[in-house]
Amino acid sequence: MGYLLALDAGTSSMRGGIWDHTGVLLWMHQTAYRVRPAQGGRVEQDPRSFLSALEEIAAAAGACCRERGIELAGVGLASQRSSLIAVDENGGALRDAIMWQDKRSEPLCAAVDERYDPYAVCGMRPTPVYTGPKILWLRQNEPDVFMTAYKFLGVHEYLLHRMTGRFATDESVASRSCMLDLYTRRWSPRLLEAFGAPPEKLCEIVPPGAICGETAPDFTALLGQQRALPVVSAGGDQQCAALGLGVTRACALSINCGTGAYVAAQAENPVLDPRKDVICNCSALPGAYVLEASTMASGMVYDWFVHAVCQSPDYQSADAGAAASPPGAGGVLALPDLMGRGMPVWDGAARGVFYNIGFHTTRGDLARAVLEGLAAGLCACVELMRAAGVDPAEAVCSGGLSKSPLFVQILADMTGLKIQTPRVCEATLRGVWASSAAAFGWYADMREAAGAPPAQARYRPDGATGAVYKKANEARRLLYDALDTRRLGSLLGSVCG
């Protein structure tokens, strides 16, 4: 029997799981870390926190292997996408990581979009989320760091280098940079020019699911292994989540509700949306593509609400209060844009709002309004997918919020989709396992390895409740349209100093 360690470096934590060759999760360890939001749209993180988490998980996995008397066949990695870490020749960080939520590069994006039209090449309109605009911002604002940098890495490449000593990335992660040509699956000279990114400062590109090298001696020792292990670059976390959910055929739909929330569908060839709303990236499946629509508001927002408003870590109590509130949350609307607004219209100045609060409003109304606001963002993403030609009747939902039956039912009612949640909630880790299992020859390919995970629960939409949500969502759109977010942000920024 074979065993492998699957790693998922997310936004708020890193997970590691040991899986056997049949796809059974035997052991898991999670290490949390936090980004540092600040004024001016800054969101940074100490890169050493990623290395500390990786090494803690590796040591814990080694202890598990010794306890159970098993040997690992290899390691697979998926990670968050589009953060930026400038490093020297040894992989040492030159400054804190600029995280994917950082908004400082927003003023640069419109000019690049107008002059270069990146969507036609890379399947994405430039926004501050992606790596390319961050590199351009660094070039213009921190030229010493830009010139000194040997490579520009993301979290994925940073961890791969720590494990193997190699500067490499895979097509699925590289496609989130706004600099990859979807058709050649290589760095686009035109887009490298657009973002001022020297090609020698970027990583070598390999297919998703490729073995990038072997574990360095010190990392092999951390894992408690006697020999170096192959390391697989499984891909970006959202692409791997879709794979782990068994979404491997065209037009099958996955909804992943982590720190951000993503709706994804597979495609055999690049699909460009005439309205440029839906993103097209490289899939975790070699040679395939993934269509994606996303919102920045998801689990992190509900986490904030439970801790800051309910002042309790008890999610079940918050859910119970929300369940006691009727559909429509007693007329309370929430715009859950604490970190800005994602699709369909990028708005980095948007912020969270509660509207229509009265003396009759309960904490449960507020909780339900947050859940309905989060579901509304995903509903808008599903509508974008439908407009782009993807119109499934069902979806698979995973991530932290999928553990709330109330939230998944709200999502089913709002979208009109039949939704199932998988028995294994760690969709991204399962995708890493499927990718690695295929790389190690345990299965013919990733599709065979992924299969279709068994369902934990199934949710059917209620038409009457959906009609209530349709009216509430229209009111929510009117509320957002009525806000001059940039002017408000400027005034409030001066108030806050």
Side-chain angles (χ1 to χ4, degrees):
M1 291 183 65
Y3 302 89
L4 66 87
L5 174 63
L7 298 165
D8 170 22
T11 299
S12 55
S13 70
M14 188 181 300
R15 294 172 171 83
I18 294 177
W19 301 70
D20 72 14
H21 76 289
T22 68
V24 174
L25 178 60
L26 304 176
W27 169 92
M28 197 181 84
H29 185 88
Q30 181 174 2
T31 302
Y33 38 64
R34 286 193 176 274
V35 298
R36 298 194 306 270
Q39 293 294 326
R42 295 171 177 265
V43 184
E44 297 190 351
Q45 186 166 337
D46 185 345
R48 291 174 297 183
S49 64
F50 300 118
L51 298 184
S52 296
L54 175 66
E55 290 166 3
E56 177 183 316
I57 290 171
C64 175
C65 289
R66 287 192 296 273
E67 180 181 328
R68 301 189 182 208
I70 62 177
E71 292 185 2
L72 296 175
V75 180
L77 173 69
S79 78
Q80 57 162 287
R81 309 162 303 177
S82 303
S83 298
L84 181 67
I85 305 172
V87 302
D88 60 24
E89 291 187 41
N90 298 315
L94 301 176
R95 71 179 312 284
D96 282 350
I98 303 175
M99 303 306 292
W100 63 267
Q101 308 101 312
D102 191 282
K103 302 180 183 68
R104 278 172 286 181
S105 62
E106 185 172 8
L108 305 173
C109 293
V112 170
D113 197 17
E114 182 178 355
R115 181 177 177 184
Y116 290 93
D117 187 21
Y119 189 88
V121 179
C122 68
M124 301 185 296
R125 290 189 291 190
T127 76
V129 169
Y130 306 129
T131 316
K134 293 180 177 67
I135 291 175
L136 182 58
W137 182 91
L138 199 67
R139 180 171 190 146
Q140 294 184 2
N141 293 273
E142 297 183 13
D144 290 345
V145 174
F146 180 89
M147 293 301 296
T148 304
Y150 178 72
K151 294 289 183 183
F152 294 122
L153 310 181
V155 174
H156 192 81
E157 297 86 356
Y158 189 59
L159 297 177
L160 279 178
H161 182 268
R162 169 64 186 90
M163 288 188 282
T164 68
R166 181 182 180 187
F167 289 113
T169 189
D170 71 56
E171 294 162 354
S172 74
V173 178
S175 68
R176 294 293 293 187
S177 66
C178 212
M179 298 186 292
L180 189 84
D181 187 317
L182 280 179
Y183 301 90
T184 66
R185 302 172 84 94
R186 289 292 177 263
W187 300 120
S188 162
R190 177 176 175 79
L191 297 184
L192 295 186
E193 174 190 309
F195 295 112
E200 68 273 10
K201 290 181 181 283
L202 302 179
C203 287
E204 175 189 359
I205 299 173
V206 301
I211 295 174
C212 285
E214 292 187 333
T215 53
D218 63 333
F219 197 77
T220 303
L222 267 179
L223 291 168
Q225 303 298 302
Q226 300 301 311
R227 58 181 180 83
L229 303 178
V231 177
V232 174
S233 180
D237 54 0
Q238 299 307 319
Q239 291 101 317
C240 284
L243 175 62
L245 292 170
V247 180
T248 60
R249 303 295 178 185
C251 290
L253 200 69
S254 68
I255 301 174
N256 193 25
C257 308
T259 303
Y262 300 82
V263 177
Q266 296 293 326
E268 296 303 316
N269 299 293
V271 177
L272 298 184
D273 177 8
R275 300 189 304 179
K276 303 182 181 179
D277 288 332
V278 173
I279 292 167
C280 184
N281 290 151
C282 295
S283 170
L285 293 164
Y289 295 84
V290 63
L291 304 178
E292 207 175 278
S294 63
T295 172
M296 296 183 73
S298 189
M300 186 179 285
V301 175
Y302 198 52
D303 181 72
W304 165 84
F305 176 81
V306 171
H307 287 82
V309 179
C310 299
Q311 296 185 334
S312 166
D314 184 0
Y315 290 87
Q316 290 183 339
S317 176
D319 277 8
S325 177
V332 177
L333 297 176
L335 301 183
D337 306 320
L338 273 62
M339 294 291 291
R341 192 176 183 88
M343 292 182 169
V345 178
W346 170 268
D347 183 359
R351 289 296 180 268
V353 173
F354 282 110
Y355 179 74
N356 203 28
I357 295 174
F359 287 116
H360 62 283
T361 301
T362 67
R363 187 176 293 172
D365 292 332
L366 297 178
R368 188 174 190 113
V370 171
L371 291 176
E372 291 179 354
L374 295 173
L378 283 166
C379 183
C381 291
V382 171
E383 290 304 318
L384 291 177
M385 285 288 193
R386 287 170 172 154
V390 179
D391 191 15
E394 300 182 356
V396 184
C397 182
S398 69
L401 281 174
S402 72
K403 298 174 184 177
S404 166
L406 175 62
F407 175 76
V408 182
Q409 187 62 57
I410 291 171
L411 189 58
D413 294 338
M414 200 175 283
T415 61
L417 292 170
K418 298 176 183 177
I419 299 177
Q420 70 177 44
T421 54
R423 194 169 297 166
V424 177
C425 290
E426 296 296 334
T428 301
L429 283 180
R430 189 174 187 275
V432 175
W433 168 81
S435 177
S436 303
F440 299 154
W442 298 348
Y443 291 83
D445 56 29
M446 294 182 196
R447 285 187 172 92
E448 182 186 6
Q456 177 71 31
R458 301 179 187 273
Y459 300 81
R460 292 182 175 274
D462 180 89
T465 305
V468 172
Y469 290 145
K470 185 175 181 179
K471 294 178 181 178
N473 285 348
E474 179 59 29
R476 196 175 280 105
R477 282 189 288 270
L478 288 173
L479 174 60
Y480 170 74
D481 290 344
L483 297 173
D484 187 342
T485 56
R486 297 193 182 278
R487 186 179 180 193
L488 283 168
S490 177
L491 290 170
L492 292 174
S494 62
V495 170
C496 297

